[in-house]
Amino acid sequence: MPAMAEMTSDPFPLRLSAAGFLIVDMQNDFVRVGAPLEVPDARATIEPIRRVTRLFRAAKRPVIYTRFVTGPQETLLWTWSPQIRPPVCCCRVGFRRRYDDIQSERECMAVIDELAVEPGDHVIDKYWYGGFFRTNLQDVLFAAGADTVVIAGTVTQICVEETARGAFHHGFKTVVLSDCVSSFAPDLHAAALKNHSMKFGMVLDSRELAKRFGPGSSG
Amino acid sequence: MPAMAEMTSDPFPLRLSAAGFLIVDMQNDFVRVGAPLEVPDARATIEPIRRVTRLFRAAKRPVIYTRFVTGPQETLLWTWSPQIRPPVCCCRVGFRRRYDDIQSERECMAVIDELAVEPGDHVIDKYWYGGFFRTNLQDVLFAAGADTVVIAGTVTQICVEETARGAFHHGFKTVVLSDCVSSFAPDLHAAALKNHSMKFGMVLDSRELAKRFGPGSSG
Amino acid sequence: MPAMAEMTSDPFPLRLSAAGFLIVDMQNDFVRVGAPLEVPDARATIEPIRRVTRLFRAAKRPVIYTRFVTGPQETLLWTWSPQIRPPVCCCRVGFRRRYDDIQSERECMAVIDELAVEPGDHVIDKYWYGGFFRTNLQDVLFAAGADTVVIAGTVTQICVEETARGAFHHGFKTVVLSDCVSSFAPDLHAAALKNHSMKFGMVLDSRELAKRFGPGSSG
Amino acid sequence: MPAMAEMTSDPFPLRLSAAGFLIVDMQNDFVRVGAPLEVPDARATIEPIRRVTRLFRAAKRPVIYTRFVTGPQETLLWTWSPQIRPPVCCCRVGFRRRYDDIQSERECMAVIDELAVEPGDHVIDKYWYGGFFRTNLQDVLFAAGADTVVIAGTVTQICVEETARGAFHHGFKTVVLSDCVSSFAPDLHAAALKNHSMKFGMVLDSRELAKRFGPGSSG
C-alpha cells in the first residue's frame, strides 16, 4: 500500500553529521505567560526541543537560534502584528519586560531561559518572518558542512513555515519536528505540516528523529 | 463588533495606480486537461483572471506572468514533484507536449492560450516556487511605481502562497484574489487564504477588488 | 619564480562542459556610435566575443546575455547615469532610437545586431549593474549544470566587474576575458582586471580560453 | 565650469539623522602587526574612524561593525585567501591568536581593541566580502531609519568596495571616507575610490563629512 511505502522510505537520507538544528523564535515575547505575542502551546515544546538540542550538542553539530526583532521604524509588519507598536514594542531590540510566570524582567527579544544559548551556538536576528530572509543563516549552515536543517520553534504557520520554505528554496533538506513546533491556531498548524510534507520536506516527531540519528543509524 | 469592523476598513489603502497584477504559473502543464501537474480547479479561475487583467490593462498598470520552469540538472524540487523528471519533463524549457483538451501541441511551460501574454506584459521565469525568489520581479514592480501586488494563479498553498509571502517580505502590500487562485487540496487552499489574511496581506474576491478600483474609487 | 609558477597553474580547473558564457550589456545604447552611454572600445570586442560565442554554441553550452534596463520610476541609478532621465531614456524598456552607424532605428535596450540572440540563448534583464543581483541568472546556470562563468561585455569596472563579483559571491568559478571587456577609462579597466585576478577569479584572453577548452583539453 | 559646479553641490543631501556608520572588517587578523592578512595602512585609519564613531554616537545614530568570518568548510574564498586554510585559520570563528604589537592573544576575528564595540552597536558577521550579501545589514539600517551609509574600514578595493557596491544596489546613498579606508595596493585603492565617485556614491574625507554633519548643517 502506498501509505506504508511512504512510511518505510525517506525522501532523502538523514545524517546527523550533515545536519544543523534550528530553533525558531522561542523568545520571551512569544513563550512566557502573558507575553504580548503569547503562544501558550509553545511551552509544551520546550522539553522536546531540549532533548533534540542535547542530541545535536553531543554530536558537536550546530545549534542555531533565530530571534524575531523589531526596531523603531515602522514597517509593513506592524500592520499584521500591532503589538509591535509602542507602547508594547514587541521583540524590540533593547526593550525589557516583566513576565508573570517567572516573576521577573527579561529582554523581551531574548531566547527563553529554558533554552539558554551556550557558547558555540549561533544566534540569527531577523526582522521578518523568515530565518533565511536577509540573514547569514545559509552561510552559517554551509560553514558547518550542513545540507540538512531540522526545524523547531514557533509559530508553525508563520515564522516556522516561512523558515522551512526558505530552507527548501536555498537547497537544504528540511525536517520540521511536529512535536517541537506550536501555534495559536490548530487548523493552520495542521495545514502547514501537511503542506510541508507534500512539497517542501519531511515532518517527523522528535523521537523518530532521534531513532534515525541514533547509535544504529548511518549518521 | 470586531468582525464587522474588519470588513469595513482595509489594513492598507488600495490604489490601482500603485498596483501590479501578478498571474502565477497559469501554464499548460498545470492547467490543461490531463497535464502532468494538472490542477483541474484552475480552469474555473481563467474567466475571473481575464476580467482582472482587462482592469489592469485599461489602467495601463503592469500585468506580470510568472512561469515555473525546470532544467536538465536535478534539484531538490524533483524530490517533491517527480513529474519534473524525464521522460515527463514538466515545465522543462524548450519541451513541447500534446494536450487533449485543445487537441494540439504547446510549449509545456507556456502560459495558457486563454491568458495570452500581450506586448508590454512581463514574463518572469523562476526555477522555484516563489515569484520573488531570485528574479527581477521586485524591480519590475518598482520600475512601474507599484507598491501593491494583486495575486492570482495556481497552486494556492504552493507557488501562490510562496509568492504572496515573498511580496510581503519585500515590502509590498499584497492582495490574494480568492476566486482567482486554485488548488488540488481544498483544505490547504482554505488554510493558505486564512493564514494570508491574518499575517501577510488582504484576501478579496475579484468583484470586491473591482469595486475598490472602480470609477468611484480613489485609485 | 612565483610569477612563472602563477602562469603555469590555474587556481581552479576549467572545463567547457561545466561552463556558461555571459555577455554583459552589449546593447545598442552602450555600443553603437553616438549612443548616449557609448563605450567606443566596446566595438573592438565584438569579434572576439563572437568567436567565444561560437565555441560555447558548438559545445551546446549556455550563452547568456544580460541587458541593463530602466523604467519610468526614478531610482538612485539616475544620479550616476543622468542619461537615463527623459528625454534620453537610456536603456528604457520599449524605447527606440536611431543610431548613426547603422542608419536606422533599434530598441535602445536590445543586444546589438552583431551579437544576435539565438533560440536557446538566455536573456537576463537587470535593473542594476550586477547580473546576479535580483535575477534568475544563478538558477539559469545551475539548471545547465554550470559551476563556471566566462564573462565578456561592458563596462569593465561597472557592470562587468559587478557581475564578476556577483558570480564569485554565488560560488561560481569566474573567468573575465581581458580582450572581450571594454571601458571608457583605461586606468579603471586595468585596475578592475588586476583586482579580479587577485581576489575573485581568473583573467584570460579569448585565445588562452580557447586553448584550455580546445580539442586537447580535458573539458 | 563643470568641475567647480561638481565641487559645490552634492549628488544627494547628507543628513546625519538619516545615516548609519559602517566600519568594515577592522579585525585583529587584518589590522594587528604581523596578522596573517595584515594591511599595515589600516592602522593609520584608526584615529579618524574613532572621530567619526564619536560623531555618530553623539547623535545616537547607529554604529555598525562588519566582521569577515570563516568556518571549517572550504569555499571558493580559500582559493583567493589561502591564509584561511589551516593551520593559519584566518578569521575563523572561535580561533585565537597572539599578536606581537599588543603582546597578547585575541579572538582573531574580533574587532580591534582600539575600536571597541559598545552596547547598542551592531555587529554583522559575513562569510563573504560584501557586508550586504546574505546579512541583515539592510534591515538593521532600515530599522534605524537610515537611507544613507557612511563607510570606513579595510580593504578598500575588496570588502569595502563590495560593501559600498552592495549599499548602492540596495538603494542606500553611500559615502566612502577616503581617509578611513585602507589597502595593501595603493593603485587599486585609488581606482576603487575614483570608480565609486563616478558611478556609486560620494567620496569624502572625515573632516569634510564632519563639516556637513556639523552644528551649522541641516542634518
Side-chain angles (χ1 to χ4, degrees):
Chain A
M1 289 184 307
M4 287 191 60
E6 281 169 34
M7 292 175 65
T8 53
S9 77
D10 288 343
F12 43 70
L14 276 180
R15 293 182 305 121
L16 179 53
S17 59
F21 185 39
L22 194 48
I23 303 170
V24 175
D25 297 4
M26 290 293 284
Q27 300 161 263
N28 292 312
D29 261 3
F30 288 104
V31 183
R32 296 260 68 95
V33 174
L37 290 169
E38 186 186 358
V39 182
D41 285 358
R43 292 188 289 272
T45 67
I46 296 173
E47 204 40 50
I49 291 177
R50 285 166 59 98
R51 280 201 310 270
V52 178
T53 304
R54 283 194 294 267
L55 184 68
F56 277 79
R57 287 204 176 117
K60 301 197 183 311
R61 296 302 305 160
V63 173
I64 306 166
Y65 300 81
T66 67
R67 302 192 299 190
F68 175 70
V69 300
T70 66
Q73 188 74 16
E74 177 159 1
T75 73
L76 191 52
L77 254 164
W78 298 29
T79 301
W80 307 104
S81 296
Q83 301 90 337
I84 298 172
R85 299 184 186 280
V88 179
C89 295
C90 248
C91 296
R92 174 76 66 90
V93 177
F95 201 88
R96 297 177 66 83
R97 194 185 313 283
R98 183 182 170 82
Y99 299 92
D100 287 346
D101 53 349
I102 53 173
Q103 295 279 323
S104 58
E105 203 183 270
R106 291 286 183 283
E107 267 196 290
C108 66
M109 71 163 205
V111 172
I112 55 171
D113 296 358
E114 294 92 327
L115 298 174
V117 179
E118 295 193 359
D121 291 345
H122 302 265
V123 177
I124 306 280
D125 286 347
K126 63 188 173 70
Y127 287 78
W128 297 86
Y129 300 144
F132 286 87
F133 186 70
R134 297 185 198 151
T135 71
N136 69 4
L137 177 48
Q138 171 179 2
D139 287 314
V140 166
L141 288 162
F142 280 168
D147 67 7
T148 303
V149 190
V150 175
I151 302 181
T154 199
V155 177
T156 312
Q157 77 276 11
I158 309 171
C159 292
V160 169
E161 181 176 350
E162 187 68 31
T163 300
R165 286 169 172 262
F168 167 78
H169 274 81
H170 286 86
F172 291 95
K173 295 162 194 155
T174 306
V175 181
V176 173
L177 293 181
S178 54
D179 59 334
C180 296
V181 295
S182 53
S183 174
F184 51 78
D187 55 336
L188 299 182
H189 170 92
L193 294 183
K194 181 178 171 188
N195 193 26
H196 183 77
S197 70
M198 292 175 75
K199 299 300 271 192
F200 294 91
M202 293 174 71
V203 176
L204 295 174
D205 72 24
S206 59
R207 295 190 188 282
E208 290 168 323
L209 184 83
K211 255 186 249 167
R212 278 173 172 80
F213 280 170
S217 80
S218 61
Chain B
M1 288 185 305
M4 287 191 62
E6 281 169 34
M7 293 175 65
T8 54
S9 77
D10 289 342
F12 43 70
L14 276 180
R15 293 182 305 121
L16 179 54
S17 59
F21 186 38
L22 194 49
I23 304 170
V24 176
D25 298 3
M26 291 293 283
Q27 300 161 264
N28 291 313
D29 261 3
F30 288 103
V31 183
R32 296 260 67 95
V33 174
L37 290 169
E38 187 187 358
V39 183
D41 285 358
R43 292 188 288 273
T45 67
I46 296 174
E47 205 40 50
I49 292 176
R50 286 166 60 97
R51 281 201 309 271
V52 178
T53 303
R54 283 194 295 267
L55 184 67
F56 276 79
R57 286 203 177 118
K60 302 199 183 310
R61 296 302 305 159
V63 173
I64 306 167
Y65 300 81
T66 67
R67 301 192 301 190
F68 174 70
V69 300
T70 66
Q73 188 75 14
E74 177 159 0
T75 74
L76 191 52
L77 254 165
W78 297 29
T79 302
W80 307 104
S81 297
Q83 301 89 336
I84 298 172
R85 297 183 186 281
V88 179
C89 295
C90 249
C91 296
R92 174 76 66 89
V93 177
F95 201 87
R96 296 177 67 82
R97 193 184 314 282
R98 184 182 169 83
Y99 300 93
D100 286 347
D101 54 348
I102 53 172
Q103 295 279 323
S104 58
E105 204 183 271
R106 290 287 183 283
E107 268 196 290
C108 66
M109 69 165 207
V111 172
I112 56 171
D113 297 358
E114 294 92 327
L115 298 173
V117 179
E118 294 193 359
D121 291 344
H122 301 266
V123 177
I124 307 282
D125 285 346
K126 62 188 175 65
Y127 287 78
W128 297 87
Y129 299 145
F132 286 87
F133 185 70
R134 297 186 199 151
T135 71
N136 70 4
L137 178 49
Q138 171 178 3
D139 288 313
V140 166
L141 288 162
F142 279 168
D147 67 7
T148 303
V149 190
V150 175
I151 302 182
T154 201
V155 177
T156 311
Q157 77 276 12
I158 310 171
C159 292
V160 169
E161 182 176 349
E162 186 69 31
T163 299
R165 286 169 172 262
F168 168 79
H169 274 80
H170 286 86
F172 291 94
K173 295 161 195 156
T174 306
V175 181
V176 173
L177 294 181
S178 54
D179 59 334
C180 296
V181 296
S182 53
S183 174
F184 53 78
D187 56 338
L188 300 182
H189 170 92
L193 294 183
K194 182 178 171 188
N195 193 27
H196 183 78
S197 71
M198 292 176 75
K199 298 302 271 191
F200 294 91
M202 294 174 68
V203 176
L204 295 174
D205 73 23
S206 59
R207 293 189 189 281
E208 290 168 322
L209 183 83
K211 256 186 250 167
R212 279 172 171 80
F213 280 170
S217 80
S218 62
Chain C
M1 287 185 306
M4 287 190 62
E6 280 169 36
M7 292 174 65
T8 53
S9 77
D10 288 343
F12 43 70
L14 276 180
R15 293 183 304 121
L16 179 53
S17 59
F21 186 39
L22 194 49
I23 303 169
V24 175
D25 298 3
M26 291 292 284
Q27 300 160 264
N28 292 312
D29 260 4
F30 289 103
V31 183
R32 296 260 68 95
V33 174
L37 291 169
E38 186 187 357
V39 183
D41 285 358
R43 292 188 289 272
T45 67
I46 295 173
E47 205 38 51
I49 292 177
R50 285 165 59 98
R51 279 202 310 271
V52 178
T53 304
R54 283 194 294 267
L55 184 67
F56 276 78
R57 287 204 177 118
K60 301 198 182 313
R61 295 303 305 159
V63 173
I64 306 167
Y65 300 80
T66 67
R67 303 191 300 190
F68 174 70
V69 299
T70 66
Q73 188 75 13
E74 177 159 0
T75 74
L76 191 52
L77 254 165
W78 297 29
T79 301
W80 307 104
S81 296
Q83 302 90 336
I84 299 173
R85 296 184 188 280
V88 179
C89 295
C90 249
C91 297
R92 174 75 66 90
V93 177
F95 202 87
R96 297 177 67 82
R97 194 184 314 281
R98 183 182 171 84
Y99 300 92
D100 287 346
D101 55 349
I102 52 173
Q103 296 279 323
S104 58
E105 204 184 90
R106 290 286 183 283
E107 268 197 290
C108 66
M109 70 164 206
V111 173
I112 56 171
D113 297 359
E114 295 91 328
L115 298 173
V117 180
E118 295 193 358
D121 292 344
H122 301 265
V123 177
I124 306 282
D125 285 347
K126 62 189 174 67
Y127 287 78
W128 297 87
Y129 300 145
F132 285 88
F133 185 70
R134 296 184 199 153
T135 71
N136 69 5
L137 177 48
Q138 170 179 2
D139 287 314
V140 166
L141 287 162
F142 279 168
D147 67 8
T148 303
V149 189
V150 175
I151 301 182
T154 200
V155 176
T156 311
Q157 77 276 12
I158 309 170
C159 292
V160 169
E161 181 176 349
E162 187 69 31
T163 301
R165 286 170 173 262
F168 167 79
H169 274 79
H170 286 86
F172 291 95
K173 296 162 194 156
T174 306
V175 182
V176 174
L177 293 181
S178 54
D179 59 334
C180 296
V181 296
S182 53
S183 175
F184 52 79
D187 56 337
L188 299 182
H189 170 92
L193 294 183
K194 181 177 171 188
N195 193 27
H196 183 77
S197 71
M198 292 176 75
K199 298 302 270 191
F200 295 90
M202 295 174 69
V203 176
L204 294 175
D205 73 23
S206 60
R207 293 189 189 282
E208 290 169 322
L209 183 83
K211 255 186 250 166
R212 277 173 172 79
F213 281 170
S217 81
S218 61
Chain D
M1 290 185 306
M4 287 191 61
E6 281 169 34
M7 292 175 64
T8 53
S9 77
D10 289 342
F12 42 71
L14 276 180
R15 294 183 303 123
L16 179 53
S17 59
F21 186 38
L22 194 49
I23 303 170
V24 175
D25 298 4
M26 290 293 284
Q27 300 160 265
N28 292 313
D29 261 3
F30 289 104
V31 183
R32 297 259 68 95
V33 174
L37 291 169
E38 187 186 357
V39 182
D41 285 359
R43 292 188 288 272
T45 67
I46 296 173
E47 205 39 51
I49 292 176
R50 285 166 60 98
R51 280 201 310 271
V52 178
T53 304
R54 283 194 294 267
L55 184 68
F56 277 78
R57 287 205 177 117
K60 301 199 182 312
R61 295 302 306 159
V63 173
I64 306 167
Y65 300 81
T66 67
R67 303 192 298 191
F68 174 70
V69 300
T70 65
Q73 187 75 14
E74 177 160 1
T75 74
L76 191 53
L77 254 165
W78 297 29
T79 302
W80 307 104
S81 296
Q83 302 90 336
I84 298 172
R85 297 183 187 280
V88 179
C89 295
C90 248
C91 296
R92 173 76 67 90
V93 178
F95 201 87
R96 297 176 66 83
R97 194 185 314 281
R98 184 181 169 83
Y99 300 93
D100 287 346
D101 54 349
I102 52 174
Q103 295 279 325
S104 57
E105 204 182 88
R106 290 286 183 283
E107 267 196 290
C108 65
M109 69 164 206
V111 172
I112 56 171
D113 296 358
E114 295 91 328
L115 299 173
V117 179
E118 295 193 358
D121 291 344
H122 301 266
V123 177
I124 306 281
D125 286 347
K126 63 189 173 68
Y127 287 79
W128 297 88
Y129 300 145
F132 286 88
F133 186 70
R134 295 185 199 152
T135 71
N136 69 4
L137 177 49
Q138 170 179 2
D139 288 313
V140 166
L141 288 162
F142 279 167
D147 67 7
T148 303
V149 190
V150 176
I151 301 182
T154 200
V155 178
T156 312
Q157 78 276 8
I158 308 171
C159 292
V160 169
E161 181 176 350
E162 187 69 31
T163 300
R165 286 169 172 261
F168 167 79
H169 273 80
H170 286 87
F172 291 95
K173 296 161 193 155
T174 307
V175 182
V176 173
L177 293 180
S178 54
D179 60 334
C180 296
V181 295
S182 53
S183 175
F184 52 78
D187 56 337
L188 300 183
H189 170 92
L193 294 183
K194 181 177 171 189
N195 193 27
H196 184 77
S197 71
M198 292 174 74
K199 299 301 270 191
F200 295 91
M202 294 174 69
V203 176
L204 295 174
D205 72 23
S206 59
R207 294 189 189 282
E208 291 168 320
L209 184 83
K211 255 186 251 168
R212 278 173 173 79
F213 280 169
S217 80
S218 61

